[in-house]
């Protein structure tokens, strides 16, 4: 990926990308990103990735129904996250729903929006580890195209306010 970031050029504004998934800690990333956006006069892009599986042609009708349901769930999750961001910082985030491999979709969204200057993730505080996205990103950190901010999942709103 070699797309030059343009976040701070005239006519552009910095944005951070937040992944809205089914984890318990997604709210911490949304909170941090929303506060950051207000402080720097930037924006937030929220991404929900629907992971697709190989679908057998004879079950295509069922697959179409499942896909439609997944999009409904994705929109509902983004509605919740957008409402949270609006309540925190009176901002209306951009929204994106993608299908496929999560890492590939994250990289593609970053590549296509030259104003995205940071990825914000929240880490699970439990013994099972920080979460699959953070685990994957840790392997790529040396070659990732933008900075990655990881918000500990146990931080309170007040603690995040002090940091963002």
């Amino acid at each position: 990926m070699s797309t030059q970031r343009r976040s701070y050029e005239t006519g552009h504004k910095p944005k951070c990308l937040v992944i809205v998934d089914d984890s318990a800690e997604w709210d911490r990333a949304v909170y941090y990103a929303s506060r950051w956006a207000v402080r720097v006069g930037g924006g937030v892009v929220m991404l929900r990735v629907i992971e697709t599986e190989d679908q057998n042609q004879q079950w295509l009708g069922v697959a179409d129904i499942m896909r439609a349901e997944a999009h409904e769930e994705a929109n509902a999750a983004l509605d919740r996250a957008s409402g949270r961001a609006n309540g925190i910082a009176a901002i209306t985030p951009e929204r994106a729903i993608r299908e496929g491999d999560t890492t590939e979709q994250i990289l593609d969204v970053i590549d296509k929006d030259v104003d995205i200057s940071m990825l914000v993730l929240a880490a699970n505080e439990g013994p099972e580890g920080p979460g699959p996205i953070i685990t994957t990103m840790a392997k790529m950190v040396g070659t990732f195209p933008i900075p990655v901010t990881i918000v500990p999942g146990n931080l309170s709103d007040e603690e995040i306010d002090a940091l963002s």
Side-chain angles (χ1 to χ4, degrees):
M1 179 173 306
S2 61
T3 304
Q4 179 67 36
R5 303 289 97 196
R6 302 185 67 188
S7 309
Y8 293 96
E9 292 180 9
T10 303
H12 293 267
K13 70 177 181 177
K15 300 177 193 173
C16 60
L17 177 63
V18 178
I19 311 307
V20 177
D21 57 15
D22 292 327
S23 67
E25 61 276 358
W26 68 264
D27 177 71
R28 303 294 72 209
V30 168
Y31 193 92
Y32 181 92
S34 300
R35 294 278 302 165
W36 173 87
V38 167
R39 296 272 175 132
V40 302
V44 175
V45 177
M46 295 185 174
L47 172 64
R48 175 74 174 211
V49 179
I50 300 168
E51 294 194 23
T52 56
E53 300 172 15
D54 291 333
Q55 298 164 348
N56 190 331
Q57 287 291 8
Q58 72 187 30
W59 296 103
L60 194 55
V62 174
D64 288 343
I65 293 170
M66 291 173 63
R67 184 171 180 247
E69 289 174 352
H71 274 268
E72 284 179 31
E73 290 173 16
N75 274 311
L78 289 172
D79 286 345
R80 285 189 301 277
S82 294
R84 178 75 166 127
N86 189 275
I88 295 163
I91 61 171
T92 302
E94 295 175 37
R95 300 160 50 127
I97 298 174
R98 296 291 195 90
E99 294 182 28
D101 176 74
T102 300
T103 303
E104 288 175 13
Q105 296 307 315
I106 290 170
L107 289 169
D108 191 56
V109 167
I110 292 167
D111 190 47
K112 288 187 166 110
D113 188 338
V114 296
D115 290 338
I116 295 176
S117 59
M118 176 174 47
L119 173 63
V120 178
L121 302 170
N124 180 354
E125 60 184 291
E128 59 276 357
I133 297 174
I134 292 175
T135 302
T136 301
M137 292 298 143
K139 295 174 188 170
M140 303 174 60
V141 74
T143 60
F144 207 71
I146 58 174
V148 178
T149 299
I150 299 174
V151 181
N154 65 338
L155 292 182
S156 69
D157 289 355
E158 293 78 21
E159 290 169 317
I160 293 174
D161 287 345
L163 296 169
S164 55

